[in-house]
Amino acid sequence: GNKMELEETSGEFELQADRRPRLIPPPPVRLLAVDNVLLAATVGQEAALDDFYVKLLIAFLPAAIVGLICIKYIDEMLGDPYVVATTLLLGGIVLLFVDKWFEKSEKEPDKDITHKSAFIVGLYQIISMIPGVSRSAATIVGGLSTKLNRKNAAEFSFFLAVPTMFGATCFK
């Protein structure tokens, strides 16, 4: 028979009625530049990306507001080794039990974080302003408490670190 070479593309192939392969083109991609970072988004996903940034802002604002109001108290606690030692010890104990407390959430399918969940994660991030409390642990526990699975909670916590660390660095 007839041999046909198929070149490698990013699309998929389907067999037509006459058994000839037909290339299904990939969805159109639009490149977006956000804060000098180049992102590729399938056309139509820009709204989802914008909504994700809104959720990050919602989660960031509680810590930013409390941080601005309480900076003097946070700095005082930072100089107190007893506060740091106590929170490190308590945080370690909490981390021993987190998997047990949230084992049901591990069975949850991947899902997008909601605006309400983002706000709750932001409230948990306030706890991390106490010196010795892990910001990532606090926000992951916050995500788990809103029924996110471990993967989604960790991803959101990771992305939330960017504006939080940037804001803290610029403020200091």
mmCIF file of all heavy atoms in Angstrom, residues 65-117:
data_model
loop_
_atom_site.group_PDB
_atom_site.id
_atom_site.type_symbol
_atom_site.label_atom_id
_atom_site.label_comp_id
_atom_site.label_asym_id
_atom_site.label_seq_id
_atom_site.Cartn_x
_atom_site.Cartn_y
_atom_site.Cartn_z
ATOM 1 N N ILE A 65 -3.186 44.289 54.852
ATOM 2 C CA ILE A 65 -3.835 45.262 55.734
ATOM 3 C C ILE A 65 -3.376 45.076 57.178
ATOM 4 O O ILE A 65 -2.971 46.034 57.846
ATOM 5 C CB ILE A 65 -5.372 45.155 55.608
ATOM 6 C CG1 ILE A 65 -5.803 45.619 54.212
ATOM 7 C CG2 ILE A 65 -6.072 45.958 56.701
ATOM 8 C CD1 ILE A 65 -7.246 45.271 53.857
ATOM 9 N N VAL A 66 -3.428 43.833 57.652
ATOM 10 C CA VAL A 66 -3.009 43.566 59.034
ATOM 11 C C VAL A 66 -1.519 43.867 59.203
ATOM 12 O O VAL A 66 -1.102 44.413 60.227
ATOM 13 C CB VAL A 66 -3.346 42.108 59.435
ATOM 14 C CG1 VAL A 66 -2.719 41.747 60.766
ATOM 15 C CG2 VAL A 66 -4.858 41.920 59.483
ATOM 16 N N GLY A 67 -0.726 43.543 58.190
ATOM 17 C CA GLY A 67 0.704 43.829 58.268
ATOM 18 C C GLY A 67 0.994 45.306 58.388
ATOM 19 O O GLY A 67 1.864 45.721 59.171
ATOM 20 N N LEU A 68 0.275 46.122 57.640
ATOM 21 C CA LEU A 68 0.479 47.575 57.716
ATOM 22 C C LEU A 68 0.045 48.126 59.074
ATOM 23 O O LEU A 68 0.693 49.005 59.624
ATOM 24 C CB LEU A 68 -0.291 48.277 56.600
ATOM 25 C CG LEU A 68 0.261 48.081 55.194
ATOM 26 C CD1 LEU A 68 -0.700 48.656 54.154
ATOM 27 C CD2 LEU A 68 1.635 48.727 55.060
ATOM 28 N N ILE A 69 -1.044 47.596 59.602
ATOM 29 C CA ILE A 69 -1.567 48.084 60.884
ATOM 30 C C ILE A 69 -0.705 47.620 62.056
ATOM 31 O O ILE A 69 -0.464 48.373 62.993
ATOM 32 C CB ILE A 69 -3.031 47.628 61.073
ATOM 33 C CG1 ILE A 69 -3.926 48.310 60.028
ATOM 34 C CG2 ILE A 69 -3.521 47.907 62.484
ATOM 35 C CD1 ILE A 69 -5.345 47.767 59.973
ATOM 36 N N CYS A 70 -0.230 46.398 61.997
ATOM 37 C CA CYS A 70 0.435 45.776 63.157
ATOM 38 C C CYS A 70 1.943 45.647 63.022
ATOM 39 O O CYS A 70 2.558 44.871 63.770
ATOM 40 C CB CYS A 70 -0.166 44.396 63.397
ATOM 41 S SG CYS A 70 -1.920 44.419 63.759
ATOM 42 N N ILE A 71 2.574 46.371 62.118
ATOM 43 C CA ILE A 71 4.009 46.203 61.881
ATOM 44 C C ILE A 71 4.835 46.393 63.148
ATOM 45 O O ILE A 71 5.805 45.677 63.392
ATOM 46 C CB ILE A 71 4.501 47.130 60.734
ATOM 47 C CG1 ILE A 71 5.945 46.832 60.363
ATOM 48 C CG2 ILE A 71 4.329 48.586 61.089
ATOM 49 C CD1 ILE A 71 6.143 45.476 59.766
ATOM 50 N N LYS A 72 4.435 47.344 63.996
ATOM 51 C CA LYS A 72 5.185 47.612 65.222
ATOM 52 C C LYS A 72 5.155 46.394 66.149
ATOM 53 O O LYS A 72 6.178 45.990 66.696
ATOM 54 C CB LYS A 72 4.578 48.840 65.919
ATOM 55 C CG LYS A 72 5.273 49.251 67.184
ATOM 56 C CD LYS A 72 4.750 50.573 67.711
ATOM 57 C CE LYS A 72 3.273 50.472 68.024
ATOM 58 N NZ LYS A 72 2.733 51.660 68.693
ATOM 59 N N TYR A 73 3.988 45.761 66.290
ATOM 60 C CA TYR A 73 3.846 44.588 67.160
ATOM 61 C C TYR A 73 4.565 43.369 66.581
ATOM 62 O O TYR A 73 5.157 42.578 67.322
ATOM 63 C CB TYR A 73 2.373 44.262 67.390
ATOM 64 C CG TYR A 73 1.609 45.422 67.966
ATOM 65 C CD1 TYR A 73 0.685 46.111 67.195
ATOM 66 C CD2 TYR A 73 1.826 45.861 69.277
ATOM 67 C CE1 TYR A 73 -0.004 47.195 67.706
ATOM 68 C CE2 TYR A 73 1.146 46.939 69.800
ATOM 69 C CZ TYR A 73 0.232 47.607 69.016
ATOM 70 O OH TYR A 73 -0.449 48.679 69.518
ATOM 71 N N ILE A 74 4.525 43.246 65.262
ATOM 72 C CA ILE A 74 5.207 42.128 64.611
ATOM 73 C C ILE A 74 6.714 42.249 64.828
ATOM 74 O O ILE A 74 7.386 41.263 65.159
ATOM 75 C CB ILE A 74 4.864 42.080 63.099
ATOM 76 C CG1 ILE A 74 3.382 41.749 62.925
ATOM 77 C CG2 ILE A 74 5.738 41.067 62.371
ATOM 78 C CD1 ILE A 74 2.860 41.964 61.514
ATOM 79 N N ASP A 75 7.244 43.451 64.681
ATOM 80 C CA ASP A 75 8.675 43.669 64.908
ATOM 81 C C ASP A 75 9.064 43.386 66.355
ATOM 82 O O ASP A 75 10.136 42.839 66.627
ATOM 83 C CB ASP A 75 9.072 45.096 64.521
ATOM 84 C CG ASP A 75 9.152 45.288 63.019
ATOM 85 O OD1 ASP A 75 9.238 44.273 62.286
ATOM 86 O OD2 ASP A 75 9.108 46.457 62.569
ATOM 87 N N GLU A 76 8.187 43.763 67.319
ATOM 88 C CA GLU A 76 8.464 43.466 68.728
ATOM 89 C C GLU A 76 8.519 41.962 68.973
ATOM 90 O O GLU A 76 9.396 41.475 69.682
ATOM 91 C CB GLU A 76 7.398 44.111 69.628
ATOM 92 C CG GLU A 76 7.522 45.603 69.776
ATOM 93 C CD GLU A 76 6.370 46.203 70.575
ATOM 94 O OE1 GLU A 76 5.605 45.446 71.240
ATOM 95 O OE2 GLU A 76 6.217 47.438 70.536
ATOM 96 N N MET A 77 7.557 41.224 68.382
ATOM 97 C CA MET A 77 7.547 39.770 68.559
ATOM 98 C C MET A 77 8.760 39.124 67.907
ATOM 99 O O MET A 77 9.262 38.109 68.384
ATOM 100 C CB MET A 77 6.265 39.162 67.975
ATOM 101 C CG MET A 77 5.029 39.406 68.810
ATOM 102 S SD MET A 77 3.611 38.448 68.239
ATOM 103 C CE MET A 77 3.255 39.193 66.665
ATOM 104 N N LEU A 78 9.227 39.690 66.803
ATOM 105 C CA LEU A 78 10.375 39.141 66.098
ATOM 106 C C LEU A 78 11.624 39.184 66.973
ATOM 107 O O LEU A 78 12.485 38.309 66.878
ATOM 108 C CB LEU A 78 10.604 39.925 64.797
ATOM 109 C CG LEU A 78 11.598 39.349 63.812
ATOM 110 C CD1 LEU A 78 11.189 37.941 63.398
ATOM 111 C CD2 LEU A 78 11.697 40.241 62.588
ATOM 112 N N GLY A 79 11.700 40.164 67.841
ATOM 113 C CA GLY A 79 12.846 40.286 68.735
ATOM 114 C C GLY A 79 12.740 39.432 69.984
ATOM 115 O O GLY A 79 13.674 39.386 70.792
ATOM 116 N N ASP A 80 11.645 38.749 70.181
ATOM 117 C CA ASP A 80 11.434 37.937 71.375
ATOM 118 C C ASP A 80 11.675 36.460 71.050
ATOM 119 O O ASP A 80 10.858 35.818 70.387
ATOM 120 C CB ASP A 80 10.003 38.134 71.882
ATOM 121 C CG ASP A 80 9.745 37.459 73.216
ATOM 122 O OD1 ASP A 80 10.584 36.648 73.662
ATOM 123 O OD2 ASP A 80 8.696 37.748 73.812
ATOM 124 N N PRO A 81 12.790 35.899 71.520
ATOM 125 C CA PRO A 81 13.100 34.499 71.191
ATOM 126 C C PRO A 81 12.071 33.506 71.746
ATOM 127 O O PRO A 81 11.882 32.424 71.186
ATOM 128 C CB PRO A 81 14.483 34.263 71.798
ATOM 129 C CG PRO A 81 14.693 35.368 72.768
ATOM 130 C CD PRO A 81 13.821 36.507 72.345
ATOM 131 N N TYR A 82 11.391 33.864 72.816
ATOM 132 C CA TYR A 82 10.374 32.969 73.377
ATOM 133 C C TYR A 82 9.168 32.825 72.444
ATOM 134 O O TYR A 82 8.598 31.746 72.309
ATOM 135 C CB TYR A 82 9.933 33.447 74.768
ATOM 136 C CG TYR A 82 11.050 33.398 75.773
ATOM 137 C CD1 TYR A 82 11.626 34.562 76.263
ATOM 138 C CD2 TYR A 82 11.552 32.167 76.217
ATOM 139 C CE1 TYR A 82 12.674 34.513 77.168
ATOM 140 C CE2 TYR A 82 12.602 32.110 77.122
ATOM 141 C CZ TYR A 82 13.157 33.286 77.589
ATOM 142 O OH TYR A 82 14.191 33.231 78.476
ATOM 143 N N VAL A 83 8.783 33.924 71.812
ATOM 144 C CA VAL A 83 7.675 33.875 70.850
ATOM 145 C C VAL A 83 8.058 32.982 69.678
ATOM 146 O O VAL A 83 7.298 32.095 69.274
ATOM 147 C CB VAL A 83 7.304 35.290 70.350
ATOM 148 C CG1 VAL A 83 6.323 35.222 69.189
ATOM 149 C CG2 VAL A 83 6.732 36.122 71.482
ATOM 150 N N VAL A 84 9.250 33.194 69.146
ATOM 151 C CA VAL A 84 9.705 32.408 67.999
ATOM 152 C C VAL A 84 9.815 30.929 68.366
ATOM 153 O O VAL A 84 9.326 30.050 67.633
ATOM 154 C CB VAL A 84 11.048 32.949 67.463
ATOM 155 C CG1 VAL A 84 11.567 32.081 66.327
ATOM 156 C CG2 VAL A 84 10.913 34.396 67.007
ATOM 157 N N ALA A 85 10.409 30.627 69.505
ATOM 158 C CA ALA A 85 10.575 29.227 69.927
ATOM 159 C C ALA A 85 9.220 28.559 70.157
ATOM 160 O O ALA A 85 9.004 27.412 69.746
ATOM 161 C CB ALA A 85 11.425 29.156 71.190
ATOM 162 N N THR A 86 8.308 29.279 70.800
ATOM 163 C CA THR A 86 6.984 28.718 71.088
ATOM 164 C C THR A 86 6.218 28.436 69.804
ATOM 165 O O THR A 86 5.627 27.367 69.648
ATOM 166 C CB THR A 86 6.175 29.684 71.980
ATOM 167 O OG1 THR A 86 6.911 29.922 73.186
ATOM 168 C CG2 THR A 86 4.811 29.111 72.318
ATOM 169 N N THR A 87 6.221 29.387 68.881
ATOM 170 C CA THR A 87 5.468 29.176 67.641
ATOM 171 C C THR A 87 6.105 28.094 66.779
ATOM 172 O O THR A 87 5.387 27.342 66.107
ATOM 173 C CB THR A 87 5.326 30.484 66.840
ATOM 174 O OG1 THR A 87 6.624 31.044 66.601
ATOM 175 C CG2 THR A 87 4.457 31.479 67.575
ATOM 176 N N LEU A 88 7.420 27.984 66.781
ATOM 177 C CA LEU A 88 8.073 26.894 66.036
ATOM 178 C C LEU A 88 7.666 25.541 66.615
ATOM 179 O O LEU A 88 7.361 24.597 65.874
ATOM 180 C CB LEU A 88 9.595 27.049 66.068
ATOM 181 C CG LEU A 88 10.194 28.061 65.102
ATOM 182 C CD1 LEU A 88 11.678 28.262 65.389
ATOM 183 C CD2 LEU A 88 9.992 27.610 63.664
ATOM 184 N N LEU A 89 7.637 25.441 67.940
ATOM 185 C CA LEU A 89 7.255 24.189 68.596
ATOM 186 C C LEU A 89 5.786 23.859 68.322
ATOM 187 O O LEU A 89 5.461 22.737 67.918
ATOM 188 C CB LEU A 89 7.501 24.288 70.108
ATOM 189 C CG LEU A 89 7.124 23.053 70.930
ATOM 190 C CD1 LEU A 89 8.020 21.878 70.556
ATOM 191 C CD2 LEU A 89 7.222 23.346 72.406
ATOM 192 N N LEU A 90 4.901 24.828 68.510
ATOM 193 C CA LEU A 90 3.478 24.590 68.257
ATOM 194 C C LEU A 90 3.208 24.280 66.782
ATOM 195 O O LEU A 90 2.399 23.408 66.457
ATOM 196 C CB LEU A 90 2.647 25.800 68.692
ATOM 197 C CG LEU A 90 2.593 26.058 70.198
ATOM 198 C CD1 LEU A 90 1.841 27.363 70.489
ATOM 199 C CD2 LEU A 90 1.948 24.901 70.926
ATOM 200 N N GLY A 91 3.900 24.991 65.883
ATOM 201 C CA GLY A 91 3.744 24.736 64.453
ATOM 202 C C GLY A 91 4.173 23.329 64.079
ATOM 203 O O GLY A 91 3.529 22.659 63.267
ATOM 204 N N GLY A 92 5.254 22.852 64.679
ATOM 205 C CA GLY A 92 5.710 21.484 64.427
ATOM 206 C C GLY A 92 4.702 20.451 64.897
ATOM 207 O O GLY A 92 4.449 19.454 64.215
ATOM 208 N N ILE A 93 4.101 20.706 66.046
ATOM 209 C CA ILE A 93 3.079 19.790 66.569
ATOM 210 C C ILE A 93 1.862 19.775 65.651
ATOM 211 O O ILE A 93 1.316 18.715 65.335
ATOM 212 C CB ILE A 93 2.690 20.179 68.017
ATOM 213 C CG1 ILE A 93 3.879 19.927 68.958
ATOM 214 C CG2 ILE A 93 1.458 19.409 68.478
ATOM 215 C CD1 ILE A 93 3.727 20.506 70.347
ATOM 216 N N VAL A 94 1.435 20.949 65.199
ATOM 217 C CA VAL A 94 0.294 21.029 64.274
ATOM 218 C C VAL A 94 0.597 20.247 63.000
ATOM 219 O O VAL A 94 -0.248 19.497 62.499
ATOM 220 C CB VAL A 94 -0.061 22.499 63.956
ATOM 221 C CG1 VAL A 94 -0.998 22.604 62.776
ATOM 222 C CG2 VAL A 94 -0.661 23.180 65.176
ATOM 223 N N LEU A 95 1.800 20.413 62.465
ATOM 224 C CA LEU A 95 2.157 19.722 61.221
ATOM 225 C C LEU A 95 2.143 18.200 61.372
ATOM 226 O O LEU A 95 1.897 17.481 60.401
ATOM 227 C CB LEU A 95 3.521 20.186 60.718
ATOM 228 C CG LEU A 95 3.549 21.603 60.159
ATOM 229 C CD1 LEU A 95 4.969 22.000 59.753
ATOM 230 C CD2 LEU A 95 2.612 21.752 58.978
ATOM 231 N N LEU A 96 2.370 17.716 62.587
ATOM 232 C CA LEU A 96 2.299 16.266 62.818
ATOM 233 C C LEU A 96 0.888 15.721 62.601
ATOM 234 O O LEU A 96 0.713 14.570 62.206
ATOM 235 C CB LEU A 96 2.751 15.931 64.242
ATOM 236 C CG LEU A 96 4.235 16.096 64.547
ATOM 237 C CD1 LEU A 96 4.494 15.888 66.040
ATOM 238 C CD2 LEU A 96 5.075 15.143 63.719
ATOM 239 N N PHE A 97 -0.117 16.560 62.838
ATOM 240 C CA PHE A 97 -1.503 16.100 62.785
ATOM 241 C C PHE A 97 -2.282 16.565 61.557
ATOM 242 O O PHE A 97 -3.412 16.135 61.355
ATOM 243 C CB PHE A 97 -2.249 16.550 64.053
ATOM 244 C CG PHE A 97 -1.688 15.941 65.295
ATOM 245 C CD1 PHE A 97 -0.862 16.667 66.127
ATOM 246 C CD2 PHE A 97 -1.978 14.622 65.615
ATOM 247 C CE1 PHE A 97 -0.335 16.100 67.267
ATOM 248 C CE2 PHE A 97 -1.454 14.045 66.756
ATOM 249 C CZ PHE A 97 -0.618 14.778 67.587
ATOM 250 N N VAL A 98 -1.696 17.428 60.742
ATOM 251 C CA VAL A 98 -2.414 17.990 59.591
ATOM 252 C C VAL A 98 -2.914 16.903 58.650
ATOM 253 O O VAL A 98 -4.067 16.939 58.207
ATOM 254 C CB VAL A 98 -1.530 19.012 58.842
ATOM 255 C CG1 VAL A 98 -2.070 19.331 57.468
ATOM 256 C CG2 VAL A 98 -1.408 20.284 59.651
ATOM 257 N N ASP A 99 -2.085 15.935 58.338
ATOM 258 C CA ASP A 99 -2.510 14.871 57.416
ATOM 259 C C ASP A 99 -3.697 14.095 57.967
ATOM 260 O O ASP A 99 -4.598 13.717 57.222
ATOM 261 C CB ASP A 99 -1.354 13.908 57.122
ATOM 262 C CG ASP A 99 -0.358 14.494 56.140
ATOM 263 O OD1 ASP A 99 -0.748 15.394 55.380
ATOM 264 O OD2 ASP A 99 0.798 14.040 56.122
ATOM 265 N N LYS A 100 -3.706 13.861 59.255
ATOM 266 C CA LYS A 100 -4.820 13.131 59.868
ATOM 267 C C LYS A 100 -6.104 13.969 59.841
ATOM 268 O O LYS A 100 -7.171 13.456 59.549
ATOM 269 C CB LYS A 100 -4.444 12.765 61.313
ATOM 270 C CG LYS A 100 -5.428 11.886 61.996
ATOM 271 C CD LYS A 100 -5.289 10.463 61.502
ATOM 272 C CE LYS A 100 -6.143 9.557 62.360
ATOM 273 N NZ LYS A 100 -6.503 8.356 61.651
ATOM 274 N N TRP A 101 -5.988 15.255 60.145
ATOM 275 C CA TRP A 101 -7.160 16.132 60.198
ATOM 276 C C TRP A 101 -7.811 16.294 58.827
ATOM 277 O O TRP A 101 -9.020 16.425 58.723
ATOM 278 C CB TRP A 101 -6.782 17.512 60.718
ATOM 279 C CG TRP A 101 -6.351 17.560 62.149
ATOM 280 C CD1 TRP A 101 -6.657 16.660 63.128
ATOM 281 C CD2 TRP A 101 -5.529 18.552 62.758
ATOM 282 N NE1 TRP A 101 -6.067 17.039 64.304
ATOM 283 C CE2 TRP A 101 -5.377 18.202 64.109
ATOM 284 C CE3 TRP A 101 -4.906 19.704 62.292
ATOM 285 C CZ2 TRP A 101 -4.629 18.954 64.998
ATOM 286 C CZ3 TRP A 101 -4.168 20.453 63.174
ATOM 287 C CH2 TRP A 101 -4.042 20.077 64.514
ATOM 288 N N PHE A 102 -6.988 16.301 57.797
ATOM 289 C CA PHE A 102 -7.512 16.605 56.462
ATOM 290 C C PHE A 102 -7.385 15.428 55.498
ATOM 291 O O PHE A 102 -7.316 15.632 54.288
ATOM 292 C CB PHE A 102 -6.795 17.833 55.880
ATOM 293 C CG PHE A 102 -7.003 19.080 56.685
ATOM 294 C CD1 PHE A 102 -5.977 19.612 57.430
ATOM 295 C CD2 PHE A 102 -8.235 19.706 56.695
ATOM 296 C CE1 PHE A 102 -6.162 20.765 58.177
ATOM 297 C CE2 PHE A 102 -8.428 20.858 57.433
ATOM 298 C CZ PHE A 102 -7.394 21.391 58.181
ATOM 299 N N GLU A 103 -7.406 14.202 56.003
ATOM 300 C CA GLU A 103 -7.247 13.055 55.109
ATOM 301 C C GLU A 103 -8.409 12.930 54.125
ATOM 302 O O GLU A 103 -8.238 12.435 53.023
ATOM 303 C CB GLU A 103 -7.029 11.762 55.887
ATOM 304 C CG GLU A 103 -8.185 11.322 56.756
ATOM 305 C CD GLU A 103 -7.812 10.113 57.599
ATOM 306 O OE1 GLU A 103 -7.033 9.266 57.122
ATOM 307 O OE2 GLU A 103 -8.290 10.024 58.731
ATOM 308 N N LYS A 104 -9.607 13.406 54.480
ATOM 309 C CA LYS A 104 -10.744 13.362 53.551
ATOM 310 C C LYS A 104 -10.523 14.283 52.356
ATOM 311 O O LYS A 104 -10.967 13.985 51.250
ATOM 312 C CB LYS A 104 -12.042 13.748 54.262
ATOM 313 C CG LYS A 104 -12.552 12.709 55.211
ATOM 314 C CD LYS A 104 -13.850 13.165 55.850
ATOM 315 C CE LYS A 104 -14.313 12.146 56.879
ATOM 316 N NZ LYS A 104 -15.487 12.612 57.604
ATOM 317 N N SER A 105 -9.844 15.395 52.572
ATOM 318 C CA SER A 105 -9.631 16.344 51.472
ATOM 319 C C SER A 105 -8.715 15.768 50.403
ATOM 320 O O SER A 105 -8.739 16.219 49.260
ATOM 321 C CB SER A 105 -9.071 17.667 51.988
ATOM 322 O OG SER A 105 -7.746 17.511 52.432
ATOM 323 N N GLU A 106 -7.918 14.759 50.746
ATOM 324 C CA GLU A 106 -7.027 14.149 49.761
ATOM 325 C C GLU A 106 -7.802 13.379 48.699
ATOM 326 O O GLU A 106 -7.338 13.190 47.593
ATOM 327 C CB GLU A 106 -6.014 13.238 50.466
ATOM 328 C CG GLU A 106 -4.727 13.080 49.737
ATOM 329 C CD GLU A 106 -4.170 14.361 49.122
ATOM 330 O OE1 GLU A 106 -4.139 15.408 49.783
ATOM 331 O OE2 GLU A 106 -3.787 14.307 47.945
ATOM 332 N N LYS A 107 -9.004 12.977 49.046
ATOM 333 C CA LYS A 107 -9.846 12.262 48.090
ATOM 334 C C LYS A 107 -10.625 13.221 47.185
ATOM 335 O O LYS A 107 -11.274 12.800 46.251
ATOM 336 C CB LYS A 107 -10.806 11.329 48.833
ATOM 337 C CG LYS A 107 -10.088 10.219 49.594
ATOM 338 C CD LYS A 107 -11.056 9.413 50.437
ATOM 339 C CE LYS A 107 -10.392 8.301 51.159
ATOM 340 N NZ LYS A 107 -9.550 8.684 52.268
ATOM 341 N N GLU A 108 -10.549 14.516 47.485
ATOM 342 C CA GLU A 108 -11.246 15.522 46.686
ATOM 343 C C GLU A 108 -10.578 15.633 45.316
ATOM 344 O O GLU A 108 -9.353 15.587 45.208
ATOM 345 C CB GLU A 108 -11.198 16.895 47.366
ATOM 346 C CG GLU A 108 -11.953 16.989 48.668
ATOM 347 C CD GLU A 108 -13.455 16.979 48.483
ATOM 348 O OE1 GLU A 108 -13.938 17.529 47.478
ATOM 349 O OE2 GLU A 108 -14.140 16.413 49.341
ATOM 350 N N PRO A 109 -11.376 15.789 44.258
ATOM 351 C CA PRO A 109 -10.776 15.995 42.935
ATOM 352 C C PRO A 109 -10.177 17.396 42.833
ATOM 353 O O PRO A 109 -10.480 18.271 43.642
ATOM 354 C CB PRO A 109 -11.965 15.838 41.983
ATOM 355 C CG PRO A 109 -13.155 16.201 42.812
ATOM 356 C CD PRO A 109 -12.829 15.779 44.216
ATOM 357 N N ASP A 110 -9.327 17.581 41.828
ATOM 358 C CA ASP A 110 -8.781 18.913 41.592
ATOM 359 C C ASP A 110 -9.920 19.874 41.289
ATOM 360 O O ASP A 110 -10.853 19.537 40.571
ATOM 361 C CB ASP A 110 -7.837 18.902 40.385
ATOM 362 C CG ASP A 110 -6.484 18.294 40.724
ATOM 363 O OD1 ASP A 110 -6.250 17.985 41.900
ATOM 364 O OD2 ASP A 110 -5.674 18.136 39.799
ATOM 365 N N LYS A 111 -9.857 21.043 41.900
ATOM 366 C CA LYS A 111 -10.869 22.062 41.614
ATOM 367 C C LYS A 111 -10.244 23.431 41.779
ATOM 368 O O LYS A 111 -9.237 23.587 42.464
ATOM 369 C CB LYS A 111 -12.090 21.898 42.515
ATOM 370 C CG LYS A 111 -11.836 22.102 44.000
ATOM 371 C CD LYS A 111 -13.108 21.928 44.804
ATOM 372 C CE LYS A 111 -12.818 22.156 46.275
ATOM 373 N NZ LYS A 111 -13.987 21.973 47.098
ATOM 374 N N ASP A 112 -10.848 24.399 41.127
ATOM 375 C CA ASP A 112 -10.366 25.771 41.241
ATOM 376 C C ASP A 112 -10.772 26.332 42.595
ATOM 377 O O ASP A 112 -11.850 26.034 43.110
ATOM 378 C CB ASP A 112 -10.954 26.642 40.136
ATOM 379 C CG ASP A 112 -10.374 26.315 38.777
ATOM 380 O OD1 ASP A 112 -9.257 25.765 38.723
ATOM 381 O OD2 ASP A 112 -11.036 26.606 37.769
ATOM 382 N N ILE A 113 -9.913 27.162 43.130
ATOM 383 C CA ILE A 113 -10.220 27.810 44.399
ATOM 384 C C ILE A 113 -11.304 28.865 44.147
ATOM 385 O O ILE A 113 -11.321 29.517 43.104
ATOM 386 C CB ILE A 113 -8.943 28.424 45.016
ATOM 387 C CG1 ILE A 113 -9.192 28.914 46.439
ATOM 388 C CG2 ILE A 113 -8.375 29.514 44.140
ATOM 389 C CD1 ILE A 113 -7.933 29.223 47.208
ATOM 390 N N THR A 114 -12.212 29.003 45.084
ATOM 391 C CA THR A 114 -13.276 30.003 44.964
ATOM 392 C C THR A 114 -12.805 31.315 45.595
ATOM 393 O O THR A 114 -11.796 31.350 46.301
ATOM 394 C CB THR A 114 -14.558 29.540 45.679
ATOM 395 O OG1 THR A 114 -14.270 29.416 47.085
ATOM 396 C CG2 THR A 114 -15.055 28.207 45.126
ATOM 397 N N HIS A 115 -13.567 32.385 45.363
ATOM 398 C CA HIS A 115 -13.231 33.671 45.973
ATOM 399 C C HIS A 115 -13.303 33.564 47.501
ATOM 400 O O HIS A 115 -12.448 34.108 48.203
ATOM 401 C CB HIS A 115 -14.164 34.767 45.459
ATOM 402 C CG HIS A 115 -13.952 35.068 44.016
ATOM 403 N ND1 HIS A 115 -14.712 34.498 43.025
ATOM 404 C CD2 HIS A 115 -13.055 35.871 43.386
ATOM 405 C CE1 HIS A 115 -14.301 34.930 41.855
ATOM 406 N NE2 HIS A 115 -13.299 35.768 42.035
ATOM 407 N N LYS A 116 -14.309 32.869 48.004
ATOM 408 C CA LYS A 116 -14.462 32.696 49.451
ATOM 409 C C LYS A 116 -13.280 31.915 50.024
ATOM 410 O O LYS A 116 -12.717 32.289 51.058
ATOM 411 C CB LYS A 116 -15.780 31.974 49.752
ATOM 412 C CG LYS A 116 -16.018 31.739 51.227
ATOM 413 C CD LYS A 116 -17.323 30.991 51.456
ATOM 414 C CE LYS A 116 -17.490 30.668 52.933
ATOM 415 N NZ LYS A 116 -18.670 29.850 53.177
ATOM 416 N N SER A 117 -12.893 30.837 49.346
ATOM 417 C CA SER A 117 -11.748 30.042 49.811
ATOM 418 C C SER A 117 -10.467 30.865 49.775
ATOM 419 O O SER A 117 -9.631 30.752 50.686
ATOM 420 C CB SER A 117 -11.576 28.790 48.952
ATOM 421 O OG SER A 117 -12.666 27.923 49.096
#
